[in-house]
């Protein structure tokens, strides 16, 4: 069975690597016997060349499936990860990014519940406006994908409203989104970071969320996120196995 090579962005904040390690433990718990390795694009070790290489650990396409720990298909997914893998000379299959997925919505629900919101109550949900606070991207397609996640979350959960805010790149910012929710008549407001691990941007979102009734934690090592990584791994593995069969 190919290993799952989790490729994370990396951060100078030690909480990032600690969260990735916790997520890897959850993946292993859900799929005992599966080898899981981690490589980082930047800031943390080991980097991709240290894990993957011509004479390295995963030199053949059958050795591993690379799974990006990324929510949207933006620059890192489109360019950085493929380029880093090509530079090693290894032709590993690369899974799709995590979003969009119902499992991400379930993980967001989990974090709001952990912050004290009774998400099981349709009445509570109908009176709650939520800010989906994402990192933001210079790629319009990535931001459009985040807006689609927000729309689907509102449609399937019955929130009073879901506004998207960004911690970087263009606005709106969290205070703008909170003001829009109040103007729309939301009885209470919540901020849900659409981010994978603690760091600079989640801290920026938390600091800007003082006017919210509650603020959820980042997605972190949620079991739904681990299940989604395995789902992406399984799909990429099946697709990679089908290619030789089609060309045989």
């Amino acid at each position: 069975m190919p290993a799952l090579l989790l490729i994370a962005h990396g951060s100078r904040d030690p909480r990032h690597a600690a969260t990735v390690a916790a997520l890897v433990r959850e993946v292993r718990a859900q799929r005992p016997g599966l080898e899981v390795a981690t490589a980082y694009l930047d800031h943390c070790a080991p980097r991709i060349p240290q894990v993957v290489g011509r004479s390295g650990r995963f030199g053949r396409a059958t050795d591993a499936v690379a799974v990006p720990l990324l929510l949207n298909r933006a620059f890192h997914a489109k360019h950085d990860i493929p380029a880093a893998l090509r530079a090693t000379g290894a032709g590993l299959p690369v899974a799709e990014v995590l979003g969009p997925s119902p499992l991400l919505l379930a993980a967001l629900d989990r974090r709001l519940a952990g912050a004290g919101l009774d998400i099981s109550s349709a009445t509570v949900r109908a009176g709650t406006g939520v800010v989906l606070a994402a990192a933001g991207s210079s790629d319009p397609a990535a931001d459009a994908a985040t807006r689609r996640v927000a729309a689907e979350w509102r449609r399937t959960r019955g929130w009073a409203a879901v506004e998207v805010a960004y911690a970087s790149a263009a606005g709106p910012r969290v205070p703008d989104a909170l003001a829009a929710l109040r103007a729309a008549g939301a009885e209470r407001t919540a901020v849900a970071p659409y981010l994978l691990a603690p760091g600079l941007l989640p801290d920026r979102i938390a600091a800007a969320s003082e006017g919210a009734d509650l603020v959820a934690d980042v997605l972190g090592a949620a079991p739904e996120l681990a299940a989604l990584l395995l789902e992406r791994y399984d799909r990429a593995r099946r697709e990679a196995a089908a290619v030789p069969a089609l060309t045989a």
Side-chain angles (χ1 to χ4, degrees), residues 4 26 36 46 49 66 89 97 99 103 121 137 140 175 180 199 201 209 212 215 248:
L4 190 161
E26 179 64 28
V36 184
V97 296
L103 285 168
S121 168
S137 173
L201 296 184
S209 302
V215 182

Side-chain angles (χ1 to χ4, degrees), residues 2-100:
L4 190 161
L5 176 60
L6 184 67
I7 300 182
H9 182 271
S11 170
R12 294 184 179 89
D13 190 319
R15 294 175 297 171
H16 178 93
T19 300
V20 173
L23 181 58
V24 166
R25 289 194 295 271
E26 179 64 28
V27 170
R28 288 173 176 152
Q30 292 190 22
R31 187 73 60 88
L34 174 64
E35 181 182 2
V36 184
T38 303
Y40 292 93
L41 279 171
D42 203 1
H43 302 305
C44 300
R47 304 286 183 87
I48 292 173
Q50 294 174 275
V51 181
V52 183
R54 295 179 189 278
S55 59
R57 188 175 180 186
F58 300 126
R60 298 173 301 169
T62 54
D63 288 337
V65 173
V67 183
L69 186 60
L70 300 170
L71 292 172
N72 284 332
R73 185 168 170 75
F75 190 83
H76 293 311
K78 292 178 180 178
H79 302 286
D80 288 347
I81 289 176
L85 289 172
R86 281 196 304 270
T88 68
L92 302 184
V94 181
E96 285 295 325
V97 296
L98 300 178

Side-chain angles (χ1 to χ4, degrees), residues 202-213:
D203 288 348
R204 187 180 296 173
I205 287 170
S209 302
E210 291 182 357
D213 292 305

